[in-house]
Amino acid sequence: MRPSSLEVLDLTLPVVADPELETLIETRVGQLVRQLSSTSSPSGGSRGELGVRFFEKRRRKASGLGGWLTGTGRSEEEICWEVWKLKITLTTPRTETERMTLFRAEAPALQKTAMTIVKIVNRDKEHIPPITTSETNPFPYEILLNPRAEYDGKSIGFFS
């Protein structure tokens, strides 16, 4: 993986150039857009949510003799240590004027959100597990479409 950047609404955002991650994001966003497009309200806006869960890999402790016999004594388990909930509103401007109005309104909102994320991530670090692997991505993740409440984990700031 290598760092890169992306221009969105006149804002340059950092990204990680990883084709597998990009494909997963495009797939989930596409699924959400299709879902929201099919349920669009007459006012032109629909809401949904993407969830991102981060995990730590831990060795599962042997469960006595049974773990040794079944081979589960050395397996790994994934423990969720953080959940991000991203609330999404899909809007469909009907005119170029509407599109520009939305653009002017959303660009500062995106910048404010990005800065809030940076502030929270830099402030709340103590719950992040240590990196114990040399794998490219030390923390497995999953991206969920409209996650249920059962996926709540450690949420930070306004992401909860």
Side-chain angles (χ1 to χ4, degrees):
M1 286 191 227
R2 59 185 209 291
S4 189
S5 63
L6 176 69
E7 292 289 325
V8 180
L9 296 176
D10 290 337
L11 181 64
T12 303
L13 298 171
V15 296
V16 175
D18 177 5
E20 186 178 317
L21 177 58
E22 289 174 21
T23 300
L24 178 61
I25 291 170
E26 287 172 10
T27 299
R28 292 295 186 265
V29 169
Q31 290 169 337
L32 183 62
V33 167
R34 282 189 297 281
Q35 179 187 19
L36 295 179
S37 295
S38 68
T39 61
S40 186
S41 70
S43 63
S46 296
R47 295 180 183 197
E49 192 171 85
L50 289 175
V52 182
R53 295 176 62 196
F54 297 93
F55 298 92
E56 171 187 14
K57 286 184 182 179
R58 289 187 190 164
R59 273 189 188 244
R60 187 172 292 165
K61 293 187 171 96
S63 55
L65 190 55
W68 179 75
L69 291 174
T70 61
T72 60
R74 294 193 175 263
S75 67
E76 289 183 328
E77 63 182 334
E78 291 184 345
I79 307 296
C80 182
W81 57 271
E82 185 160 296
V83 176
W84 293 0
K85 292 182 181 179
L86 308 168
K87 296 178 187 214
I88 310 291
T89 302
L90 177 67
T91 57
T92 309
R94 292 176 286 250
T95 66
E96 183 62 22
T97 302
E98 257 184 43
R99 188 186 75 71
M100 289 306 296
T101 301
L102 282 170
F103 181 87
R104 282 193 298 273
E106 294 305 317
L110 178 62
Q111 183 168 12
K112 181 179 177 186
T113 300
M115 292 299 107
T116 301
I117 290 169
V118 168
K119 185 169 66 174
I120 291 169
V121 168
N122 284 331
R123 181 189 69 206
D124 298 337
K125 299 178 192 178
E126 62 280 344
H127 68 286
I128 300 173
I131 296 175
T132 59
T133 180
S134 60
E135 293 177 32
T136 304
N137 180 13
F139 300 120
Y141 56 86
E142 67 181 352
I143 300 175
L144 305 163
L145 183 65
N146 292 314
R148 300 184 306 268
E150 69 190 55
Y151 291 117
D152 284 348
K154 170 78 173 149
S155 297
I156 58 174
F158 65 96
F159 298 109
S160 55

